[in-house]
Amino acid sequence: MSESRLYQSIVAELLKLIESGEFPPGSRLPGERDLAERFGVSRVTVREAEIALEARGWITIKTGSGVYVKSRLDAPGALPDVTAFDVTAARSVIEAEAAALAASRISDEEIGELEALIAVMAEPSATDQTAGEADQSFHMAIARIAGNPVIEHCIQLIWRMRNDLPRVRQVYARVCHNDAGDRKREHAAILAALRDRNPAAARTAMQDHFQRLFESMLEATESDALAEVKQRMQQHRERFLAATRL
């Protein structure tokens, strides 16, 4: 794993610990040496992860004192506590309008840019990470092409929630892994509408993409809930059988 991706993985691990309550707001994180040993990385990697978390508003680094978890209400740039469904609903509204705006402005060169990103997503040997990065670049390119910096900023913020909030990221990772074929077809439909310079079709294609994604998320969470119930029932059954043998 490259150094850049390695520190990003430590950022994700620390976020999990913060959000799980192991390191609540106001608490002090363990020292660099302890964290480096815990995660099996260098102290430099831990330091880079902490700098990234400070930039995102999760922690504050006090020289000579330590690293402290910030209150989520007071942290500048803090992300709200939202679900994958919240994020997807917002994306459906904002990114659909971005696609409509982009359809009336897009150049041949920008169409080529989007075609190249879809080719990466469609590559059979592409990993989930590679396809995911191309996916994000595709959506962010449309946000840029739309030509409104406020809309682009809003979409960047939504992608931060999608990538940086652990429970949101986990749902997206599962759904995108299982629905890779649908994702490629849907992005191709969005591109076709943009190539035709048809704002209404581009808006609809983007909305269809998120509608399917929303339904896939419902199926995934329903499956998880059913599995959890089955697991609890099995545990009850085992305890009952154990008790009857006494």
Side-chain angles (χ1 to χ4, degrees):
M1 184 180 294
S2 68
E3 284 298 321
S4 62
R5 291 180 180 176
L6 184 57
Y7 96 81
Q8 290 171 358
S9 72
I10 302 306
V11 168
E13 291 296 329
L14 287 171
L15 281 175
K16 288 179 184 178
L17 295 174
I18 291 171
E19 294 204 324
S20 70
E22 182 168 341
F23 300 133
S27 66
R28 182 178 181 275
L29 293 184
E32 285 181 2
R33 178 179 299 173
D34 292 336
L35 289 175
E37 291 177 356
R38 177 169 183 166
F39 297 124
V41 297
S42 70
R43 294 177 64 177
V44 171
T45 299
V46 170
R47 191 174 306 121
E48 290 177 346
E50 290 178 340
I51 292 171
L53 284 173
E54 184 178 43
R56 297 181 188 181
W58 284 89
I59 62 174
T60 182
I61 301 174
K62 298 181 180 180
T63 304
S65 177
V67 179
Y68 296 85
V69 179
K70 283 186 174 180
S71 164
R72 301 313 302 140
L73 296 176
D74 298 333
L79 297 176
D81 182 18
V82 298
T83 69
F85 297 101
D86 296 325
V87 170
T88 304
R91 292 184 68 190
S92 179
V93 174
I94 299 174
E95 294 201 43
E97 291 309 310
L101 289 170
S104 62
R105 297 171 48 88
I106 195 165
S107 67
D108 290 341
E109 181 180 356
E110 289 164 337
I111 288 173
E113 176 187 355
L114 296 178
E115 287 174 340
L117 291 169
I118 289 180
V120 173
M121 284 184 260
E123 176 60 44
S125 62
T127 63
D128 285 348
Q129 179 171 340
T130 299
E133 290 172 352
D135 185 354
Q136 179 172 347
S137 295
F138 181 91
H139 285 273
M140 289 310 309
I142 292 174
R144 184 192 73 240
I145 295 166
N148 186 312
V150 176
I151 290 177
E152 184 176 5
H153 176 76
C154 289
I155 293 174
Q156 287 175 337
L157 179 58
I158 291 174
W159 270 91
R160 275 190 60 208
M161 298 178 201
R162 184 241 191 266
N163 292 334
D164 292 355
L165 296 176
R167 63 175 179 159
V168 176
R169 183 177 62 249
Q170 289 163 8
V171 172
Y172 264 90
R174 178 177 176 182
V175 170
C176 291
H177 174 77
N178 294 335
D179 296 348
D182 289 326
R183 179 170 63 176
K184 295 166 190 172
R185 286 190 294 272
E186 289 157 7
H187 284 80
I190 295 167
L191 176 58
L194 292 171
R195 189 184 291 113
D196 290 341
R197 273 76 175 184
N198 188 327
R203 180 188 294 112
T204 298
M206 187 69 81
Q207 289 171 337
D208 289 345
H209 170 48
F210 288 119
Q211 178 62 35
R212 194 276 309 163
L213 185 59
F214 198 89
E215 291 173 355
S216 295
M217 288 178 175
L218 283 174
E219 292 176 3
T221 53
E222 288 172 353
S223 176
D224 288 344
L226 180 59
E228 184 178 348
V229 169
K230 287 182 176 179
Q231 183 180 20
R232 287 202 302 268
M233 292 300 294
Q234 180 61 29
Q235 291 171 345
H236 292 326
R237 182 179 295 109
E238 291 172 356
R239 285 197 292 269
F240 174 77
L241 293 175
T244 60
R245 297 191 190 102
L246 296 178

